[in-house]
Amino acid sequence: MINKDNITVENLDVTKHSEFKNHEKVFRVSAPEYNFVAFVGVHSTVLGAAEGGIRYKPYDSEDDAITDVLRLSEGMTLKNAGAGLSAGGGKTVVMALDGEPKPSELVLQVLAEGLNRVNEKGVIYFGAQDMNISEENLNYMGAYTRYIKGASSDDPQIVGGTPSPLTAIGVFEAMKQAVAEVYGAGRGFDGLRVSLQGIGSVGGALARLLDREGAVLTGCDIDDEAFAVLRAEGVIVRQVDLDEIYDQPADIFAPNAIGGTISDETAQRLANAGVLIVCGAANNQQKEQVGHKQSKKLQQLGILYCPDFIVNAGGIIWVNQVGMNAETVRERIRTHMPQSLKKIIQLHQKTGEDMGQAAENYSLSVVREAAEKAA
Ligand code: NAD
């Protein structure tokens, strides 16, 4: 049992931080006895209780972790608003200790108590799965806090558990919409060449869905085993080296690994390779997200950029709907994602804004309207 008296939750003043975007609250949760430091960012609760994943990873400094939590929690506000959820944006980052790539039970207990304390401070925030936080971790934390979403469900007909398959379904359906926009309605995936950057939980599930529809797949991943797993199921993904993925002749590029891989340089390489659509699950795909520099670059190159936080929201819709009928929520994701992308394409066409900016403006307008109604 942990010593709860040694856990401190402080309200941080981040108003001078370069990433501050009117965040409602940012907390530092610490327990020196356990070398534990985490930050909980609550960007906005205008649309409802804040929801967003818990990330566990090493950071070089506390400022790096604060920078991450500020960016990610703001991103969750945009994602949840774009997905039409009655949920605000929040995120937690836990500073992993050297040599502890996964959280220990002790860390999970401190974290759970930290979430309880944060929720006593006048905001409501629910944590969910993100980097290095598994469904099993949430199951474990469930004994210590009610402020998490996405623990396993005992009944397969009831929503619960890992959101990745639903994120993949959402990306797949949005990609279908993008294909209809670029190649004309009725054009399926048959024969279309898709380059997959990362074939992990989401990328692998996306590969299965695309393979079933006749797409021709090329991929890269730091984990060779990921290709073998798919191959054993009869899903063939031609493997190329990590940096070669941008140069493979392709119609669609799907980033499903890490953020920031689309730079001006890689965008140009994708265009040279014939890519007409960028659509994938990775968060913060643009190297220079502020001002949507690469969204603009892709537009100049004649590539349709499908904004990440619009097309990868299937997972958070699933998490938000915990306890509901699973098939109803799956269907909601299937229908919502293409409609959502279509709305952003229409806004982009109407306003002339690039796709990234159009998506951001849309989400901000949803939050603004809710705030005006509440005033
Ligand atoms: P994952 O860890 O299961 O898969 C990521 C894969 O990318 C792994 O197989 C890894 O080996 C590979 N990889 C890592 N670095 C790479 C690189 N430089 N080049 C190529 N491959 C590399 O993660 P995931 O759950 O599939 O998520 C993938 C991305 O989608 C992440 O950016 C995540 O933040 C984002 N995302 C995931 C969800 C979700 O529901 N899981 C929801 C929204 C957004």
Side-chain angles (χ1 to χ4, degrees), residues 171-190 192-194 210 215 251-252 276-277 279 304 306 341 345:
V171 171
F172 174 72
E173 294 296 337
M175 200 184 267
K176 226 189 248 176
Q177 182 64 35
V179 167
E181 297 286 337
V182 170
Y183 297 92
R187 172 72 170 95
F189 285 110
D190 197 25
L192 280 187
R193 300 159 303 173
V194 184
L210 289 166
D251 303 292
I252 302 169
L276 292 180
I277 295 168
C279 182
L304 175 63
C306 305
L341 180 64
I345 293 173

Side-chain angles (χ1 to χ4, degrees), residues 225-245:
E225 187 55 28
F227 293 89
V229 169
L230 289 172
R231 205 177 309 117
E233 296 174 27
V235 178
I236 306 302
V237 182
R238 186 172 63 88
Q239 185 175 3
V240 297
D241 286 346
L242 296 187
D243 189 55
E244 287 176 6
I245 195 70

Side-chain angles (χ1 to χ4, degrees), residues 59-100:
Y59 289 93
D60 288 340
S61 66
E62 290 202 12
D63 193 53
D64 282 359
I66 294 170
T67 299
D68 214 22
V69 88
L70 290 175
R71 281 188 191 151
L72 291 165
S73 57
E74 186 207 359
M76 287 311 301
T77 298
L78 298 179
K79 190 184 298 202
N80 292 342
L85 299 175
S86 301
K91 201 90 181 184
T92 298
V93 304
V94 184
M95 298 182 74
L97 296 176
D98 275 353
E100 289 191 24

Side-chain angles (χ1 to χ4, degrees), residues 247-265:
D247 307 316
Q248 302 307 308
D251 303 292
I252 302 169
F253 176 67
N256 300 297
I258 51 170
T261 65
I262 305 177
S263 62
D264 285 356
E265 189 250 343

Side-chain angles (χ1 to χ4, degrees), residues 24-142:
E24 288 179 15
K25 298 255 189 240
V26 176
F27 301 99
R28 180 179 187 272
V29 182
S30 63
E33 186 182 341
Y34 307 116
N35 283 326
F36 179 96
V37 178
F39 297 93
V40 180
V42 175
H43 176 255
S44 168
T45 54
V46 169
L47 293 172
E51 289 181 16
I54 302 166
R55 180 168 284 198
Y56 175 90
K57 63 171 259 203
Y59 289 93
D60 288 340
S61 66
E62 290 202 12
D63 193 53
D64 282 359
I66 294 170
T67 299
D68 214 22
V69 88
L70 290 175
R71 281 188 191 151
L72 291 165
S73 57
E74 186 207 359
M76 287 311 301
T77 298
L78 298 179
K79 190 184 298 202
N80 292 342
L85 299 175
S86 301
K91 201 90 181 184
T92 298
V93 304
V94 184
M95 298 182 74
L97 296 176
D98 275 353
E100 289 191 24
K102 304 277 176 198
S104 63
E105 289 189 349
L106 196 135
V107 163
L108 295 171
Q109 281 188 43
V110 178
L111 180 57
E113 179 57 19
L115 294 185
N116 292 337
R117 299 274 192 87
V118 161
N119 278 282
E120 285 165 8
K121 289 192 176 276
V123 285
I124 304 181
Y125 161 76
F126 289 90
Q129 265 188 64
D130 198 76
M131 210 176 274
N132 295 318
I133 298 288
S134 65
E135 184 174 330
E136 290 68 34
N137 293 155
L138 293 185
N139 292 345
Y140 183 81
M141 285 173 71

